[in-house]
Amino acid sequence: MEDYVLGIESTAHTFGVAVVDWDGVPNGHTPLDWAREPARAGDSAEPKILSNVSDSYVTESGGMIPIEVRKHHSEVADGLFEKALKEAGIVENQVRVIAFSNAPGLAPCLLEGMEFVKKLARRLNVPVVCVNHCVAHLEIGDSVGAKDPVMLYASGANTQIVAYESGRYRVFGETLDLGVGNFIDTFARYAGLGFPGGPKIQKLAEACENKSKLIELPYSIKGMDVAFSGLQTKLKNLLDKGFDIRDLSYSMQEVVFAMLVEAAERALAHTGKKELLLGGGVACNSRLQEMCKIMCEERGVKFFCPDRSLLVDNAGMIAYLGLKMFKAGIFEKDLGMVDIAPRERTDEVEVSWK
Ligand code: ATP
Ligand code: FE2
């Protein structure tokens, strides 16, 4: 007997659908009976991500308008669902449970995802697992071997230094104003570069010809917390004054990533953990990866970073965590109990599946 978990992601700019298969279900149990049982010793079957497809809202020059993003999601949802089933080689009746990211995020986007999920769950008569998007960014780390890491979660809306301790993901440090991705995107938008700006800024930074001359920028870190708004103002001023966008992109990356790496290093020292895991969309940046790697080598710490397809917003990580939760008996059969939680924080989630 094989089980398939369908994952749905819709917290912000990306609508994603994924199918995860977990073979190795103990014999003699129907999937739902089995799901209520605790994990067994020796039950080491690993979930397999069979398909992980998505479509993101992008713009040439402006930012993200939530209502427009919702419209985008409703237009691509059915097509992505079919594509995900086809790539996984299954039909919809083989789906046993649907996991979706119900928190945190933009309410219109979350609602679009939830409506899609409820309609489908009703039609297929399957339970639903509500997954916190941020926790999913962290939990996918164990698919690349991280066991008990300090996590540098660097994405659009979030920038946190997180580690697991007694039943929860504790936030040791975080941004005091903007998420690092939103900060980079805002600067990029100001420079007329469109959304998302992170990859474009990375290219510009790589094209910088004055790498030996770092432009002086505010470096703002307190303990393990960071802040970007002073830096934002300074960058805009320098751009207005005619500084080269390549030079600014380069110096900005050097300064911002140094702040993140310093905060992560403090958390490693504080917790005594021996692994660093990089996660979230900004983790796609090869310079950030390189700086983390150097710090880890110097400290004798192991460094982990999932593949790009699992770093950016994606449904694979939602299905992956959804399956772990399902296995621990965390799911909802009564669809009336399923709701969105746009502001749920990483450390509010009780991690009872570990
Ligand atoms: P959150 O997890 O906080 O809800 P999110 O949903 O906005 O964040 P992710 O897909 O995890 O998004 O990350 C998107 C962010 O990653 C965007 O801000 C984008 O600019 C940034 N990003 C993607 N690639 C790169 C890159 N190569 N360099 C820097 N930033 C990048
Ligand atoms: Fe994300």
Side-chain angles (χ1 to χ4, degrees), residues 16-96:
V17 185
V19 175
V20 167
D21 154 36
W22 190 340
D23 41 27
V25 177
N27 286 333
H29 296 274
T30 66
L32 290 183
D33 285 340
W34 161 75
R36 285 192 206 98
E37 297 200 346
R40 297 155 175 233
D43 180 9
S44 61
E46 275 297 310
K48 289 185 211 138
I49 298 170
L50 299 183
S51 64
N52 188 13
V53 299
S54 63
D55 194 302
S56 297
Y57 174 84
V58 291
T59 71
E60 285 296 321
S61 60
M64 238 200 311
I65 303 157
I67 296 300
E68 289 295 312
V69 184
R70 176 173 189 167
K71 210 166 117 215
H72 163 267
H73 291 356
S74 79
E75 282 165 8
V76 300
D78 288 333
L80 288 172
F81 173 57
E82 273 171 33
K83 192 172 170 201
L85 292 185
K86 194 160 173 236
E87 276 187 22
I90 67 163
V91 293
E92 67 174 28
N93 287 331
Q94 287 174 284
V95 171
R96 293 282 173 267

Side-chain angles (χ1 to χ4, degrees), residues 133 137 153 155 313:
H133 173 95
H137 270 300
Y153 170 31
S155 65
D313 283 359

Side-chain angles (χ1 to χ4, degrees), residues 78-120:
D78 288 333
L80 288 172
F81 173 57
E82 273 171 33
K83 192 172 170 201
L85 292 185
K86 194 160 173 236
E87 276 187 22
I90 67 163
V91 293
E92 67 174 28
N93 287 331
Q94 287 174 284
V95 171
R96 293 282 173 267
V97 55
I98 303 173
F100 90 107
S101 47
N102 75 322
L106 302 171
C109 303
L110 291 166
L111 284 172
E112 189 60 39
M114 182 172 74
E115 279 170 19
F116 182 83
V117 166
K118 284 192 176 180
K119 213 164 84 189
L120 191 61

Side-chain angles (χ1 to χ4, degrees), residues 139-161:
E139 286 268 336
I140 194 65
D142 71 14
S143 73
V144 291
K147 292 201 170 60
D148 183 22
V150 161
M151 284 160 280
L152 171 54
Y153 170 31
S155 65
N158 289 282
T159 301
Q160 293 178 330
I161 317 288

Side-chain angles (χ1 to χ4, degrees), residues 153-273:
Y153 170 31
S155 65
N158 289 282
T159 301
Q160 293 178 330
I161 317 288
V162 186
Y164 179 78
E165 231 175 69
S166 358
R168 275 176 206 251
Y169 283 104
R170 313 278 165 185
V171 178
F172 287 87
E174 64 186 318
T175 176
L176 300 173
D177 43 36
L178 308 163
V180 61
N182 286 356
F183 156 74
I184 297 175
D185 292 339
T186 305
F187 173 59
R189 193 168 67 233
Y190 190 77
L193 292 172
F195 176 83
K200 292 173 187 164
I201 293 286
Q202 182 185 329
K203 283 220 172 69
L204 289 166
E206 284 163 3
C208 167
E209 286 167 3
N210 297 309
K211 289 191 178 148
S212 54
K213 266 216 289 202
L214 211 60
I215 300 167
E216 210 173 298
L217 295 169
Y219 185 91
S220 177
I221 176 163
K222 267 195 195 130
M224 288 175 251
D225 291 332
V226 292
F228 301 114
S229 47
L231 186 52
Q232 184 79 266
T233 310
K234 176 86 182 182
L235 282 168
K236 286 179 179 170
N237 284 343
L238 292 174
L239 195 66
D240 290 343
K241 279 189 189 148
F243 273 72
D244 190 304
I245 180 76
R246 290 166 298 185
D247 297 348
L248 286 175
S249 300
Y250 175 75
S251 293
M252 183 268 271
Q253 284 201 170
E254 293 302 300
V255 168
V256 165
F257 297 161
M259 279 159 56
L260 298 181
V261 172
E262 182 179 333
E265 185 169 18
R266 285 209 184 133
L268 284 164
H270 178 78
T271 58
K273 293 195 194 274

Side-chain angles (χ1 to χ4, degrees), residues 9 11 13 133 137 153 155-156 158 280-281 311-314 317:
E9 159 61 31
T11 55
H13 42 72
H133 173 95
H137 270 300
Y153 170 31
S155 65
N158 289 282
L311 282 176
V312 292
D313 283 359
N314 69 94
M317 68 182 186

